[in-house]
């Protein structure tokens, strides 16, 4: 009978309760913390890309009649964007004139750099605008998620190389000369 009471007493002990709660709760908090950090970094990168693009777009808008190349636009955006790692190698820009009669826009899906080993550099269009032309400018920045296999990083839509794409676009009117 004594052995049965000893067994019953040991079965009622609560020594492991804190460990069980820890094992259940900590992964949830880690997932939440990592996801918040990933979202914060994506937001900062998006904001910096949009800032760099806005400042560059202002220069282009005010310099009507000058010819500007893809590399010049990309370099200006990267110089002003800050915090975008390997920006010059990961940013692709396109600028096209919008017809004022049909208002046809480029395809919704942005053209981005594919960093897969077998991929070639995609070709984008850079059209310089004239007086009062309506222009569409879009930039696509490709970056690795901080935690690609955990939390929000695992749920993000990624390209074949495992990178996420941050796209900023804007429409502006060229200033008359």
């Amino acid at each position: 009978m004594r052995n049965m009471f000893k067994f019953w007493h040991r079965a009622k002990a609560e020594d492991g309760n804190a460990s069980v709660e820890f094992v259940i709760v900590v992964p949830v908090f880690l997932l939440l913390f990592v996801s918040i950090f990933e979202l914060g970094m994506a937001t900062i990168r998006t904001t910096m890309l949009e800032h760099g693009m806005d400042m560059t777009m202002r220069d282009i808008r005010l310099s009507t009649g000058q010819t500007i190349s893809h590399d010049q636009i990309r370099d200006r955006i990267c110089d002003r964007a800050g915090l975008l790692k390997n920006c010059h190698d990961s940013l692709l820009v396109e600028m096209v004139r919008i017809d004022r009669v049909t208002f046809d826009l480029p395809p919704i899906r942005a053209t981005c750099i594919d960093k897969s080993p077998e991929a070639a550099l995609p070709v984008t269009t850079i059209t310089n605008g004239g007086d009062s032309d309506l222009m569409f400018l879009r930039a696509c920045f490709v970056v690795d998620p901080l935690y690609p296999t955990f939390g929000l990083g695992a749920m993000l839509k990624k390209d074949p190389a495992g990178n996420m794409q941050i796209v900023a676009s804007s429409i502006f009117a060229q200033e008359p000369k």
Side-chain angles (χ1 to χ4, degrees), residues 151-162:
L152 182 63
M155 293 182 265
L156 290 172
K157 185 177 178 183
K158 298 182 220 52
D159 65 8

Side-chain angles (χ1 to χ4, degrees), residues 26 35 44 48 52 68 86 148 161:
V26 167
S35 295
I44 289 170
M48 296 308 292
I68 190 164
N86 298 326

Side-chain angles (χ1 to χ4, degrees), residues 144-174:
D144 296 324
L146 296 172
Y147 304 101
T149 59
F150 189 69
L152 182 63
M155 293 182 265
L156 290 172
K157 185 177 178 183
K158 298 182 220 52
D159 65 8
N163 300 308
M164 66 179 187
Q165 301 169 347
I166 299 173
V167 178
S169 59
S170 188
I171 296 176
F172 64 94
Q174 289 279 8

Side-chain angles (χ1 to χ4, degrees), residues 33-150:
F33 176 76
V34 167
S35 295
I36 289 171
F37 192 70
E38 184 83 55
L39 180 63
M41 286 304 294
T43 303
I44 289 170
R45 288 173 177 149
T46 302
T47 302
M48 296 308 292
L49 177 62
E50 289 177 353
H51 172 73
M53 196 169 104
D54 285 343
M55 298 303 292
T56 303
M57 185 179 63
R58 181 179 182 278
D59 288 347
I60 295 169
R61 185 179 72 228
L62 295 176
S63 62
T64 301
Q66 292 181 359
T67 302
I68 190 164
S69 70
H70 173 273
D71 293 342
Q72 290 172 321
I73 297 172
R74 182 199 62 214
D75 292 344
R76 287 181 186 179
I77 291 172
C78 289
D79 292 343
R80 293 174 174 157
L83 296 178
L84 298 181
K85 187 177 177 185
N86 298 326
C87 182
H88 296 279
D89 298 328
S90 302
L91 184 69
L92 197 63
V93 180
E94 59 184 318
M95 184 170 71
V96 295
R97 183 180 299 119
I98 298 174
D99 184 4
R100 288 180 181 257
V101 176
T102 62
F103 290 100
D104 288 335
L105 294 173
I108 293 174
R109 186 163 178 80
T111 304
C112 297
I113 292 175
D114 185 358
K115 291 191 174 183
S116 300
E118 67 278 352
L121 185 65
V123 177
T124 58
T125 304
I126 299 293
T127 306
N128 292 288
D131 288 346
S132 302
D133 278 342
L134 196 58
M135 305 298 292
F136 177 80
L137 178 66
R138 178 167 45 196
C140 180
F141 179 68
V142 177
V143 65
D144 296 324
L146 296 172
Y147 304 101
T149 59
F150 189 69

